[in-house]
């Protein structure tokens, strides 16, 4: 029924609009923030059917997140609400365009209580692809077990697994993160690290060496994100750099990775050739950095096509 199943924690985000330390900020516009829901919304905008699961607090913020994501056309019907904990929130402080800090209020949040039995197996089994990030296993031991269970269900049905590491060292130790990332990577069919994450996982420095190490002996697709330079695609038969698109003005670099992941997954679902899939993901990443916010810049399919081919005569 669904093209993609993804799950994780989405929080309410209070983002200061002025460039000041948070103690001097008096008004905080309310938004949402979560890597997996960004990817889900990105995929919905590209025309795919996506189911997103989370455990939310039975509180106004939990309901806000649920309605928001559902309003973007993502299936949220397997989400659970709990009275045992509140929905996580976080604040973003901008001190300069380059210096952005986040303050999490998410420890013991509702999402951190996710456990394997909370997963609706039928939802995963109906999907063509499972999207996993490295944030979810960092939230708690039961979240980590939930990730392993989702992987097990997907594997039993030969559902493709896409792993985006999304390293967050505020959430766990270097040792644990490295061990868990490499464990998930062995199960994944496709891995989408940034260069720093690839270095972190493998201890290698060069792009090609990292890809080789992540691939191991299996037949996987490794795509390493290289910021403005684009990305490096590595499979058994294809090894190539795919150039990024120029961005006139970088407004907000955050969220590019999630848009990129949505582009990759979309291309895979459409069974496009991999170099084209990566090119499209590069285009979406470039479109996202040109717009403020994580989800505001996520395009529809005709919009990406126009961006990739501005002189073309495509109409929508
Ligand atoms: P995030 O900040 O969302 O965690 P990330 O670190 O996972 O992002 P990046 O390498 O920063 O990943 O960006 C993902 C993709 O977005 C890149 O591979 C590239 O295709 C595109 N992209 C990012 N920044 C730029 C840029 N400045 N110019 C053009 N394309 C970009």
């Amino acid at each position: 029924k669904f093209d993609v199943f993804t799950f994780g924690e989405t929080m309410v985000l209070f983002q200061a609009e002025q460039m000041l330390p948070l103690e001097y900020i008096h008004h905080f516009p309310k938004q949402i923030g979560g890597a997996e829901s960004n990817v889900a919304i990105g995929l919905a905008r590209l025309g795919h059917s996506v189911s997103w699961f989370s455990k939310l607090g039975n509180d106004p913020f939990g309901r806000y997140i649920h309605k928001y994501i559902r309003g973007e056309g993502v299936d949220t019907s397997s989400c659970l609400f709990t009275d045992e904990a509140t929905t996580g929130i976080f604040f973003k402080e901008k001190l300069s365009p380059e210096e952005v800090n986040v303050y999490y209020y998410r420890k013991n949040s509702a999402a951190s209580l996710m456990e394997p039995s909370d997963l609706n197996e039928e939802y995963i089994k109906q999907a063509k692809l499972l999207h996993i990030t490295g944030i979810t296993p960092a939230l708690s031991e039961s979240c980590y077990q939930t990730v392993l269970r989702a992987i097990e269900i997907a594997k039993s049905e030969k559902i493709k697994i896409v792993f985006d590491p999304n390293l967050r060292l505020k959430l766990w130790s270097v040792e644990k993160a490295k061990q868990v990332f490499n464990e998930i990577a062995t199960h994944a069919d496709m891995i989408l690290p940034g260069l720093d994450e690839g270095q972190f996982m493998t201890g290698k420095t060069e792009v090609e060496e990292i890809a080789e190490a992540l691939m191991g002996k299996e037949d996987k697709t490794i795509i390493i994100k290289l910021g403005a330079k684009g990305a490096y695609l590595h499979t058994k038969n294809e090894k190539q750099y795919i150039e990024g698109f120029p961005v006139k003005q970088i407004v907000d670099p955050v969220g590019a990775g999630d848009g990129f992941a949505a582009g990759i997954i979309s291309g895979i679902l459409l069974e496009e050739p991999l170099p084209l899939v990566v090119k499209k993901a590069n285009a979406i990443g470039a479109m996202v950095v040109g717009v403020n916010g994580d989800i505001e810049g996520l395009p529809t399919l005709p919009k990406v096509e126009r961006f990739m081919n501005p002189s073309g005569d495509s109409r929508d």
Side-chain angles (χ1 to χ4, degrees):
K1 198 166 136 212
F2 300 111
D3 289 332
V4 181
F5 183 87
T6 185
F7 65 105
E9 177 163 43
T10 294
M11 294 175 284
V12 172
L13 160 62
F14 295 98
Q15 180 161 15
E17 285 178 327
Q18 292 161 290
M19 269 192 235
L20 283 173
L22 281 196
E23 52 262 59
Y24 301 110
I25 300 285
H26 303 290
H27 299 283
F28 294 93
K30 177 162 127 277
Q31 293 164 274
I32 67 159
E36 302 83 6
S37 58
N38 289 347
V39 174
I41 291 169
L43 282 163
R45 235 168 257 180
L46 292 168
H48 301 284
S49 58
V50 196
S51 185
W52 172 81
F53 162 71
S54 192
K55 200 172 221 178
L56 295 153
N58 188 13
D59 50 39
F61 289 157
R63 288 190 287 279
Y64 167 62
I65 292 170
H66 187 247
K67 284 186 210 181
Y68 191 107
I69 295 172
R70 192 175 53 187
E72 288 286 346
V74 173
D75 171 81
T76 53
S77 57
S78 73
C79 283
L80 297 173
F81 287 89
T82 179
D83 288 313
E84 283 169 50
T86 52
T87 305
I89 64 171
F90 70 121
F91 293 80
K92 249 190 214 178
E93 169 182 68
K94 215 178 206 183
L95 298 177
S96 73
E98 295 77 36
E99 199 180 354
V100 177
N101 300 312
V102 295
Y103 298 88
Y104 291 137
Y105 294 78
R106 72 192 301 181
K107 205 166 197 279
N108 304 318
S109 66
S112 77
L113 303 183
M114 245 189 270
E115 48 189 291
S117 61
D118 291 336
L119 289 170
N120 187 326
E121 293 194 17
E122 289 315 308
Y123 278 61
I124 301 180
K125 287 182 178 167
Q126 284 171 28
K128 295 185 186 133
L129 199 145
L130 172 69
H131 168 255
I132 299 272
T133 78
I135 303 171
T136 316
L139 300 177
S140 66
E141 179 59 28
S142 69
C143 283
Y144 167 50
Q145 294 302 330
T146 308
V147 168
L148 294 183
R149 179 67 190 134
I151 289 173
E152 193 175 61
I153 297 166
K155 290 214 138 214
S156 72
E157 300 288 317
K158 300 206 165 30
I159 291 164
K160 277 209 170 80
I161 299 170
V162 175
F163 175 48
D164 188 341
N166 270 297
L167 180 61
R168 300 283 188 274
L169 282 176
K170 272 194 181 175
L171 299 180
W172 52 353
S173 71
V174 166
E175 295 72 35
K176 181 81 178 167
K178 204 174 282 184
Q179 177 226 314
V180 170
F181 278 12
N182 283 302
E183 178 187 16
I184 297 174
T186 60
H187 298 298
D189 299 283
M190 186 170 276
I191 313 174
L192 312 175
L195 181 57
D196 49 348
E197 290 161 344
Q199 289 168 338
F200 175 81
M201 289 171 74
T202 63
K204 310 273 185 207
T205 48
E206 298 304 320
V207 175
E208 290 94 342
E209 285 178 349
I210 293 169
E212 201 68 54
L214 288 174
M215 174 96 136
K217 289 188 192 64
E218 290 160 85
D219 189 6
K220 292 185 193 297
T221 300
I222 314 292
I223 302 170
I224 302 178
K225 292 171 279 183
L226 302 170
K229 291 199 191 110
Y232 176 68
L233 165 66
H234 182 108
T235 67
K236 215 162 68 183
N237 307 317
E238 274 167 306
K239 292 167 181 49
Q240 64 182 105
Y241 285 89
I242 301 183
E243 231 180 280
F245 287 81
V247 175
K248 279 193 204 100
Q249 200 193 352
I250 299 172
V251 178
D252 180 3
V254 181
D258 300 331
F260 184 92
I264 294 288
I265 294 171
S266 170
I268 296 295
L269 290 167
L270 297 174
E271 297 181 11
E272 290 172 342
L274 278 177
L276 178 64
V277 170
V278 179
K279 189 175 171 191
K280 199 198 279 182
N282 279 340
I284 297 175
M287 292 172 86
V288 171
V289 298
V291 178
N292 215 350
D294 296 358
I295 44 190
E296 288 78 349
L298 291 165
T300 57
L301 203 51
K303 252 189 158 169
V304 196
E305 281 164 2
R306 264 202 314 270
F307 181 86
M308 290 169 75
N309 182 21
S311 56
D313 63 354
S314 84
R315 269 161 266 164
D316 73 302

